[in-house]
Every structure is written in C-alpha cells, then in structure tokens.
Amino acid sequence: MLKKQFRLRKRTEFDYSFKHASFKSNQFLTLATFKRKDKLIRIGFSVGKKIGNEVMRNRVKRQLRAIVQDGLFSLKMGVNLIFIAKEGIENLSYEDIKNSLWELVEKCGLLK
C-alpha cells in the first residue's frame, strides 16, 4: 500500500486536482496530472461502476496501487496524479495493466 504521504485521500483534493488537471489517455486508463507548488507527489485512483461490481473495482485498484508503488521513485516529483480506469481494464492481466500504465506515464513525460 502507498504511504499516506503519497496518497490523495480527501474529496476536496480530488476535486481541485480534476478541475485544474491536464488529461492524457490510452485505451484502458486516463491520467490526470496537476503540477504542485511543492516537491511532493500525491497519487489517487478512480475506478467507476462501469468496471464491474465492488469486488472487481477493488481488484483493479489494488493492482494499480501495487504497480505504482513498485515504480514510485522513478516518477517526477511535484505533481498530483489521478489514474482513472476505463471499461475493459478488468479483463486485462496484471502485466498488461502494468504496461498500459507505464506507457501512459511515459507519454505524459513523468519519468525521471
């Protein structure tokens, strides 16, 4: 699990980040990025009801968290990231989700 200092947890943080974010997407994920004034990185995940039932949504969120946690220190600091899952991601394997996520992060230029 991501440490508290790296998580977006409050509804107000999500809303503010969404309002001021720039968006990039691929077939299975959308990434909302918002530059912070400080040098922290905060990460949130959004998996809607189109993905499936609660068990499926939680599974997708756990996989996304694990992938980001493994490569957290290869990301640039000073940004809020919100990963938004799209319909169809629930049918992918862990490796396919991992490849899709890092392809999107690289597309946004967020790798060190």
Side-chain angles (χ1 to χ4, degrees):
M1 175 167 294
L2 286 172
K3 292 183 180 179
K4 279 187 181 182
Q5 64 191 19
F6 299 121
R7 285 187 262 168
L8 279 176
R9 298 183 329 143
K10 295 181 182 175
R11 179 71 180 179
T12 55
E13 292 174 329
F14 270 93
D15 289 343
Y16 188 82
S17 294
F18 269 123
K19 186 176 179 182
H20 297 91
S22 60
F23 295 85
K24 298 266 187 189
S25 63
N26 62 18
Q27 188 177 1
F28 300 107
L29 288 167
T30 300
L31 178 57
T33 58
F34 169 68
K35 292 197 180 228
R36 299 174 59 95
K37 292 180 182 176
D38 55 10
K39 292 296 178 192
L40 297 175
I41 185 168
R42 305 289 297 278
I43 301 167
F45 303 94
S46 176
V47 181
K49 289 187 176 183
K50 289 182 180 180
I51 302 303
N53 61 14
E54 186 175 1
V55 174
M56 187 61 65
R57 292 192 306 268
N58 287 337
R59 181 177 156 267
V60 170
K61 280 190 275 190
R62 281 193 309 271
Q63 288 177 335
L64 291 172
R65 279 191 211 110
I67 292 166
V68 170
Q69 183 176 355
D70 289 342
L72 181 65
F73 294 104
S74 64
L75 295 171
K76 288 184 181 177
M77 298 303 219
V79 66
N80 282 356
L81 303 175
I82 302 174
F83 292 95
I84 306 159
K86 290 184 175 180
E87 201 169 356
I89 196 169
E90 69 276 8
N91 300 322
L92 296 178
S93 68
Y94 180 82
E95 287 301 317
D96 291 338
I97 294 173
K98 184 176 181 178
N99 292 337
S100 180
L101 186 140
W102 290 115
E103 172 188 309
L104 186 57
V105 168
E106 189 175 354
K107 182 179 177 182
C108 291
L110 295 172
L111 292 177
K112 285 184 182 176

